[in-house]
Amino acid sequence: MRFAADEWLALHELHAEYAAVLDARELERWPGLFTEACSYKLQSRENHDRGLPLCILHLDSRAMLHDRVYGARETIYHDPCSQRHVGGPPRLLARDGEALVTETPVLVVRTKRDAMPEILLAGRYLDRVLPTAEGLRFAQRWLIFDNDLLANSIVDPA
């Protein structure tokens, strides 16, 4: 299965924008990269592979993504840090009508000003991407992390 050249470019632009928004901590822009009805999940590989529902975070609408941004900005206390998202090339798994179903490897590094960078998580995104009037948007973005342990606070989306 192959991407058309325009799909490939548009998908890379969406991924680059996603990483740039989170890396710059422009969280208010994050929900706009999703469709109104969407699914965002942060789940361990073990639970995902076993079909178990337990996950770190599961948001199922753009409104819930906005709530998460509010929480990250206004209610969660944390040490200042920055994140860097390093993604590999997306792989087309299937086409479902207009949707592109893709898998993309990702590494998220967290850095505090007074410490060495640490790998927050390594894993893959499982995405369902739809064309919209604004361009491609995530209808599903599930981050399946390989590591069994995560930092005790996931403040910003990954």
Side-chain angles (χ1 to χ4, degrees):
M1 196 165 303
R2 299 183 71 128
F3 289 106
D6 59 334
E7 291 174 328
W8 178 251
L9 180 59
L11 189 60
H12 274 273
E13 288 174 351
L14 177 62
H15 281 250
E17 186 67 14
Y18 185 91
V21 162
L22 294 182
D23 291 349
R25 205 155 191 266
E26 297 174 354
L27 301 183
E28 290 75 15
R29 294 180 49 213
W30 177 64
L33 300 174
F34 291 81
T35 58
E36 198 65 44
C38 62
S39 176
Y40 173 82
K41 188 187 289 189
L42 183 58
Q43 185 178 36
S44 72
R45 180 179 183 173
E46 179 181 11
N47 285 350
H48 177 77
D49 289 351
R50 290 181 172 188
L52 300 174
L54 184 64
C55 55
I56 301 296
L57 188 63
H58 188 192
L59 309 172
D60 62 8
S61 71
R62 188 185 293 166
M64 289 183 76
L65 273 60
H66 282 290
D67 286 347
R68 181 64 185 172
V69 170
Y70 179 83
R73 289 278 196 221
E74 303 297 332
T75 66
I76 301 172
Y77 174 78
H78 60 92
D79 288 337
C81 63
S82 61
Q83 290 185 163
R84 182 68 55 197
H85 293 73
V86 181
R91 185 169 66 102
L92 183 61
L93 301 178
R95 291 179 186 276
D96 183 12
E98 289 186 303
L100 301 173
V101 181
T102 64
E103 177 184 75
T104 307
V106 65
L107 181 70
V108 181
V109 178
R110 178 185 286 176
T111 305
K112 295 180 181 178
R113 290 183 59 196
D114 59 349
M116 295 295 293
E118 62 181 354
I119 295 175
L120 179 62
L121 58 85
R124 66 187 184 204
Y125 290 116
L126 298 177
D127 297 328
R128 189 168 191 274
V129 179
L130 291 171
T132 71
E134 294 81 30
L136 292 180
R137 294 294 181 262
F138 296 108
Q140 170 189 302
R141 177 143 257 214
W142 293 357
L143 177 43
I144 310 303
F145 55 90
D146 296 331
N147 38 311
D148 289 334
L149 298 175
L150 281 182
N152 64 359
S153 68
I154 300 293
V155 177
D156 291 348

